């Protein structure tokens, strides 16, 4: 069973379908209303709304250190996809 199941969701940027999310520090923690997440496909930042559906998130709300962390993770996602494309 998927312990991080959060219901069927769609990335509001690329329409990638998802149904789970993990906390990078503790995989047993489920997201809650207002938490932000990165799409594993496009790397864009979304937020869980009151119905736990993903909505677009304005990253200008983040401080500099949080923004640096997001950008690093987006770079990592992009590198994973680039390496996958090189294997094909």
């Amino acid at each position: 069973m998927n312990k991080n199941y959060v219901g069927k969701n769609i990335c509001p940027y690329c329409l990638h379908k998802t149904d789970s999310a993990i906390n990078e520090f503790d995989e047993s923690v489920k997201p809650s209303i207002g938490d932000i997440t990165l799409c594993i496909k496009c790397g864009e930042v979304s937020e869980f709304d009151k119905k736990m559906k993903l909505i677009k998130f304005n990253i200008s709300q983040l401080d500099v250190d949080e923004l640096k962390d997001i950008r690093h993770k987006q770079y990592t996602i992009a590198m994973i996809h680039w390496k996958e494309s090189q294997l094909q």
Side-chain angles (χ1 to χ4, degrees):
M1 179 172 172
N2 183 350
K3 65 183 173 184
N4 298 91
Y5 180 77
V6 293
K8 294 187 184 226
N9 245 312
I10 296 176
C11 172
Y13 297 95
C14 72
L15 306 179
H16 177 72
K17 294 178 182 177
T18 184
D19 65 2
S20 60
I22 62 167
N23 179 298
E24 68 181 310
F25 303 110
D26 183 352
E27 290 185 12
S28 67
V29 175
K30 288 187 175 184
S32 23
I33 296 167
D35 285 349
I36 62 172
T37 186
L38 290 168
C39 176
I40 195 67
K41 184 175 180 187
C42 70
E44 289 293 342
V45 184
S46 299
E47 177 180 12
F48 287 97
D49 70 6
K50 292 177 183 177
K51 295 182 180 181
M52 291 302 290
K53 295 297 179 191
L54 295 175
I55 57 173
K56 291 182 178 183
F57 179 78
N58 183 348
I59 61 172
S60 67
Q61 301 172 46
L62 302 174
D63 67 32
V64 172
D65 289 331
E66 292 170 322
L67 188 54
K68 284 181 186 178
D69 183 53
I70 293 290
R71 293 298 189 217
H72 176 73
K73 290 172 182 158
Q74 288 173 323
Y75 175 79
T76 301
I77 290 168
M79 288 303 299
I80 289 168
H81 291 304
W82 179 81
K83 288 179 181 180
E84 287 173 347
S85 72
Q86 298 304 303
L87 295 173
Q88 296 177 5

